[in-house]
Amino acid sequence: MRHFANLPDQDQLFIRPPEDVHRGSDQDLRAVALGATLYTPGIRPDLVRDVRRQTELGAGSIVLCLEDSVADADLPTAEANVDAALRALTDDHDDATLPQLFVRVRDAEHLERLTDRFGAHALDVLSGVVLPKFEDGNGSGGRYFDVLDAVNADRPDDRRLLVMPILESPAIMHRETRTEALAAVRELLLARRRDVLAVRIGATDLSSVFGLRRPSHLTVYEVQVLASVIGDVVNVLGRARDGFVVAGPVWEHYPDSDRVFRTTLRSTPFQEAGDLALRRQLLLEGFDGLLREVTLDRANGLTGKTVIHPRHVPLVHAMSVVSDEEYSDATDVLANVAGGVAASKYGNKMNEMKPHHDWAERTMLRARAFGVAAPDVTYVDLLERSLP
């Protein structure tokens, strides 16, 4: 899989194109390359067509969901759909174009039952599983890993199933239990580091603890009880030296023209690209909120995002490309091992070599996954070419 592989004029868009990402790629690169992780309900009747179509449109990671998106009565049908899809994709797929594919289960017993049902051959198409309601080793987490060990026991390294635990329990939402709960999760995940691809934040379940739901004109960072959880999760699990890739919470809104507040999406980049119509389109669909939240996600230490609509994918990916300015700064920081400070070549900031070192390394990893834009290319140019 390679991001933006479907776009023409690659040499004009990137000074450093995205790399191919596959099962044998290093795990940190695979985690960053998740990008916009698209959830697809397992109840959909033609999942093979959905996976292939969304891959053609740019999705690099897809989750076939058998948890909250599927009603209890529909679960047997959804399981049969996913089983059939995995078998079809395993028998007729190209590793070079297949996205990172996951199944979201309901609990450890469900994982055990499904892996027995799918069998080793069908599991070959999966990159891993998404684990909801994840807690420490004395809770759901320990049991999940017991099942995972049994599944992976006879699988080669490049076919091991990796996991993406979702933090969404009331113990993490409640202030009085959060510190202890996160510390216990961290201890377990560090012990199982080789098996963990990324950590996800279940904003919908966390919001439900207080009966909340954020509207499309507000970002998650304006809902204070959620923002505080995100800050603590990054503090405990997203540390630069020993942390995990922590993905941004779900953007759960479909295109919508209902607007309450004035947008903060600047018109200048669209004017310079000669495409104010694209800006109007984004505003009509309510996607300026998503663009803002993705920007705030990265500023708060999150990488990638959970999405529920195919049109979300190109927006998240366009915002994930490393700009020429970021690449220039990161290159300068990493080239100077002696420390000190120097003005950015862009003349608008100071690069401090030691404090900015970890940021620079993260930026270079994102550059490998999403590429480095040419100096005159902005997210607007990428959106023009990639929005369906």
Side-chain angles (χ1 to χ4, degrees):
M1 184 278 299
R2 177 164 53 86
H3 287 299
F4 303 108
N6 58 330
L7 299 189
D9 304 324
Q10 295 268 320
D11 56 337
Q12 298 177 27
L13 293 172
F14 298 97
I15 59 172
R16 175 175 171 174
E19 294 183 13
D20 291 327
V21 179
H22 49 81
R23 298 286 284 269
S25 298
D26 65 82
Q27 206 158 304
D28 289 340
L29 177 61
R30 291 178 64 186
V32 171
L34 289 168
T37 299
L38 178 63
Y39 271 53
T40 299
I43 195 62
R44 289 180 62 85
D46 195 343
L47 291 173
V48 172
R49 181 193 61 190
D50 290 343
V51 168
R52 288 177 173 155
R53 175 60 176 159
Q54 300 316 322
T55 302
E56 290 173 358
L57 293 175
S61 59
I62 296 175
V63 175
L64 307 179
C65 182
L66 292 171
E67 202 220 3
D68 287 343
S69 68
V70 176
D72 293 343
D74 293 333
L75 184 60
T77 301
E79 290 178 350
N81 289 348
V82 172
D83 188 3
L86 295 182
R87 294 179 189 277
L89 289 168
T90 302
D91 291 337
D92 180 22
H93 79 276
D94 181 356
D95 275 339
T97 58
L98 194 70
Q100 297 195 72
L101 190 63
F102 304 85
V103 170
R104 180 159 95 160
V105 299
R106 295 192 167 201
D107 52 37
E109 287 65 36
H110 192 211
L111 173 60
E112 184 173 35
R113 179 163 59 82
L114 285 178
T115 51
D116 286 343
R117 173 176 180 165
F118 296 157
H121 183 58
L123 289 178
D124 279 346
V125 78
L126 281 181
S127 292
V129 289
V130 179
L131 310 179
K133 315 296 189 292
F134 190 88
E135 296 177 326
D136 64 31
N138 295 320
S140 61
R143 177 60 180 142
Y144 275 130
F145 282 119
D146 289 342
V147 177
L148 184 73
D149 286 342
V151 174
N152 282 338
D154 298 319
R155 301 183 68 78
D157 275 354
D158 65 347
R159 294 293 168 181
R160 289 186 309 113
L161 296 184
L162 303 178
V163 298
M164 294 197 291
I166 308 178
L167 306 183
E168 53 188 350
S169 69
I172 289 173
M173 189 60 157
H174 293 154
R175 174 73 75 180
E176 67 273 18
T177 54
R178 185 183 309 161
T179 299
E180 182 178 353
L182 285 175
V185 167
R186 180 176 185 270
E187 181 179 3
L188 174 60
L189 294 185
L190 284 176
R192 303 302 305 248
R193 185 63 176 264
R194 183 170 178 262
D195 299 308
V196 181
L197 183 60
V199 176
R200 314 199 76 87
I201 298 174
T204 301
D205 278 43
L206 291 173
S207 297
S208 72
V209 174
F210 292 100
L212 301 176
R213 184 176 189 178
R214 79 184 187 279
S216 61
H217 59 268
L218 295 178
T219 71
V220 70
Y221 300 98
E222 293 165 290
V223 182
Q224 291 302 305
V225 289
L226 283 176
S228 70
V229 174
I230 292 172
D232 288 343
V233 169
V234 173
N235 189 313
V236 176
L237 296 173
R239 299 170 187 177
R241 296 300 174 90
D242 65 354
F244 299 86
V245 166
V246 182
V250 64
W251 184 262
E252 63 183 7
H253 300 286
Y254 291 106
D256 184 5
S257 61
D258 186 21
R259 181 171 299 281
V260 177
F261 299 114
R262 184 186 300 273
T263 183
T264 57
L265 185 64
R266 294 176 60 241
S267 61
T268 302
F270 296 87
Q271 288 176 328
E272 292 175 346
D275 198 349
L276 284 172
L278 175 58
R279 181 175 182 270
R280 288 193 295 271
Q281 176 188 346
L282 295 174
L283 295 181
L284 285 173
E285 297 187 69
F287 288 155
D288 52 320
L290 173 56
L291 292 172
R292 177 169 173 76
E293 187 163 292
V294 170
T295 302
L296 291 171
D297 283 343
R298 184 172 305 119
N300 283 277
L302 305 181
T303 302
K305 198 159 191 68
T306 302
V307 300
I308 52 87
H309 193 282
R311 283 182 67 79
H312 298 159
V313 172
L315 281 84
V316 175
H317 289 174
M319 300 296 288
S320 300
V321 173
V322 173
S323 69
D324 180 67
E325 179 176 343
E326 291 175 304
Y327 187 67
S328 172
D329 289 340
T331 300
D332 288 349
V333 168
L334 294 177
N336 190 334
V337 296
V341 298
S344 167
K345 290 176 181 176
Y346 272 75
N348 57 5
K349 71 180 77 66
M350 186 68 71
N351 289 328
E352 296 191 55
M353 305 310 168
K354 290 184 178 179
H356 289 146
H357 184 273
D358 291 333
W359 166 85
E361 287 194 333
R362 287 188 170 191
T363 300
M364 288 302 190
L365 194 58
R366 182 160 53 92
R368 292 176 61 194
F370 291 97
V372 180
D376 58 345
V377 171
T378 70
Y379 73 94
V380 177
D381 301 294
L382 294 162
L383 286 177
E384 285 179 326
R385 291 165 171 80
S386 56
L387 265 176

